[in-house]
Amino acid sequence: MSIEIIGIDHIYIAVSDLNRSERFYDCMMTILGFRKNNFVNEGDKHIHYYNRHFGFVLRPAHNPQSQHDPLAPGLHHFCLRAEDSATVDAIAARLAESGVSCSTPQLYPEYAPDYYAIFFSDPDGIRLEVTNYRQERRKRFDD
């Protein structure tokens, strides 16, 4: 039997201020089509955003630092995939309308010929990205 991981089930992000992060992620995740629920784990409130593909969970940090350092050991950034560049454009517009600052949507040929993306950060400085579903990824999925 060959083993293959078929996707990301969930990711947990520890945040310094759960209420502040909840406001940010409520806005962002609604734009991205995620649903939301809350639960308690290990005595702490957790905020769970989910769609049919995976879950994204906020939990309070027990030793909050002033700002996330993407070049320290740990998470550098988290990239979400949208269907195409038009969807990336729509997400960027909706984020801007909601007061979330992000980079201008653009092509990044240094990553791949059709790599189109936006970049932004959450209140703790965790880098987030939304990119298009590139041909390389589509081919990898199909093959």
Side-chain angles (χ1 to χ4, degrees), residues 97-132:
E97 289 167 6
S98 299
V100 176
S101 177
C102 70
S103 67
T104 302
Q106 67 181 48
L107 193 62
Y108 291 88
E110 63 270 30
Y111 301 147
D114 60 342
Y115 198 110
Y116 192 82
I118 58 171
F119 301 88
F120 53 104
S121 297
D122 83 350
D124 285 305
I126 296 172
R127 292 180 179 182
L128 301 162
E129 175 183 357
V130 178
T131 189
N132 61 316

Side-chain angles (χ1 to χ4, degrees), residues 7-139:
I8 294 171
D9 187 76
H10 63 273
I11 184 168
Y12 273 55
I13 303 292
V15 298
S16 63
D17 182 331
L18 191 62
N19 292 326
R20 178 183 67 172
S21 291
E22 182 177 18
R23 288 188 302 275
F24 173 85
Y25 281 98
D26 276 359
C27 173
M28 184 192 85
M29 293 304 217
T30 298
I31 290 168
L32 299 178
F34 282 72
R35 296 179 181 182
K36 176 186 173 186
N37 67 19
N38 300 305
F39 61 92
V40 175
N41 186 12
E42 299 175 341
D44 291 323
K45 177 183 175 184
H46 287 55
I47 300 164
H48 181 213
Y49 300 95
Y50 63 95
N51 65 14
R52 64 187 180 144
H53 300 287
F54 71 95
F56 191 96
V57 181
L58 304 179
R59 64 156 300 133
H62 286 194
N63 298 308
Q65 298 176 352
S66 60
Q67 190 74 357
H68 175 74
D69 179 358
L71 297 178
L75 178 71
H76 180 269
H77 76 279
F78 191 77
C79 182
L80 299 159
R81 181 188 300 153
E83 184 61 34
D84 52 32
S85 58
T87 305
V88 175
D89 288 340
I91 291 166
R94 296 271 314 273
L95 288 171
E97 289 167 6
S98 299
V100 176
S101 177
C102 70
S103 67
T104 302
Q106 67 181 48
L107 193 62
Y108 291 88
E110 63 270 30
Y111 301 147
D114 60 342
Y115 198 110
Y116 192 82
I118 58 171
F119 301 88
F120 53 104
S121 297
D122 83 350
D124 285 305
I126 296 172
R127 292 180 179 182
L128 301 162
E129 175 183 357
V130 178
T131 189
N132 61 316
Y133 193 13
R134 302 179 302 287
Q135 287 303 316
E136 170 194 6
R137 296 287 197 257
R138 290 177 191 272
K139 183 170 175 19

